[in-house]
């Protein structure tokens, strides 16, 4: 759920977010995948902090392929 909501915030063309710190939010791999859909459309965000979000290596490998 949270990944989709955060993706909507990032995808909004009026968003001026340059630093997106979501450390410690238990986003998980699936949430990260959803978040990335918003990041694809975002042109302002330069830095995103994802520490302690329960994201395993499998998702990072997938994201490096895409």
């Amino acid at each position: 759920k949270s990944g989709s909501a955060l993706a909507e915030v990032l995808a909004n063309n009026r968003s001026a977010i340059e630093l997106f710190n979501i450390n410690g939010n238990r986003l998980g791999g699936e949430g990260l995948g959803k978040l990335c859909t918003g990041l694809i459309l975002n042109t302002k965000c330069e830095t995103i902090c994802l520490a302690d979000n329960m994201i395993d290596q499998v998702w990072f490998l997938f994201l490096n392929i895409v």
Side-chain angles (χ1 to χ4, degrees), residues 49-63:
C49 303
L50 295 168
D52 294 324
N53 270 288
M54 301 175 72
I55 301 166
D56 59 23
Q57 288 181 331
V58 173
W59 279 97
F60 278 118
L61 291 173
F62 170 76
L63 291 173

Side-chain angles (χ1 to χ4, degrees), residues 11 14 39 45-46 49 57:
R14 294 184 181 180
L39 281 173
C45 188
E46 296 178 6
C49 303
Q57 288 181 331

Side-chain angles (χ1 to χ4, degrees), residues 27-44:
L27 188 62
E30 187 176 343
L32 176 60
K34 291 177 182 177
L35 178 70
C36 287
T37 62
L39 281 173
I40 290 169
L41 301 172
N42 186 291
T43 59
K44 302 279 187 193

Side-chain angles (χ1 to χ4, degrees), residues 1 9 48:
K1 293 180 182 180
V9 170
I48 185 165

Side-chain angles (χ1 to χ4, degrees), residues 3-41:
S4 296
L6 294 171
E8 286 183 35
V9 170
L10 289 171
N12 185 325
N13 61 1
R14 294 184 181 180
S15 174
I17 296 171
E18 293 180 9
L19 169 65
F20 202 53
N21 184 343
I22 53 171
N23 288 338
N25 281 286
R26 299 178 143 191
L27 188 62
E30 187 176 343
L32 176 60
K34 291 177 182 177
L35 178 70
C36 287
T37 62
L39 281 173
I40 290 169
L41 301 172

